[in-house]
Amino acid sequence: KYLRVSTIKQGVVRQDMQLDKIGVKFDKEYVDKMIGKSKERSMLNKIIFELREGDTVYCESISRLARSLKDLIDIIA
């Protein structure tokens, strides 16, 4: 699962709680603590590098993953 908060002071508890509701056991957790506009999100880059065919990435909301449709398309590509 991928979690992102905008500042170091913010926590991921709310996002964790939302993802817990779907009842999936997550093998790995990746957390970025930085603004979403930054293209240099180290944990997101790590997920992209480690993903293999058949893997699924869970994120509490699209806004935690991408800041726009174009950004989302770029990440998926």
Side-chain angles (χ1 to χ4, degrees):
K1 69 181 167 181
Y2 177 71
L3 308 168
R4 184 186 62 79
V5 291
S6 299
T7 67
I8 292 173
K9 292 180 182 180
Q10 290 178 324
V12 295
V13 174
R14 183 188 59 79
Q15 292 176 55
D16 257 339
M17 289 173 53
Q18 290 297 321
L19 288 171
D20 285 347
K21 290 179 183 179
I22 63 174
V24 173
K25 184 178 183 287
F26 301 102
D27 295 330
K28 295 182 180 181
E29 178 176 289
Y30 302 84
V31 179
D32 273 323
K33 293 189 175 189
M34 59 189 12
I35 60 171
K37 288 194 289 187
S38 174
K39 296 286 185 186
E40 294 304 316
R41 292 180 271 167
S42 61
M43 291 293 107
L44 180 58
N45 291 336
K46 185 174 181 177
I47 289 172
I48 292 167
F49 179 77
E50 292 180 358
L51 275 177
R52 300 295 175 252
E53 187 173 330
D55 288 348
T56 302
V57 175
Y58 287 87
C59 190
E60 184 266 334
S61 72
I62 291 175
S63 69
R64 300 292 85 200
L65 182 62
R67 299 306 287 172
S68 67
L69 179 57
K70 181 186 180 322
D71 189 28
L72 180 61
I73 292 168
D74 289 344
I75 289 168
I76 291 170

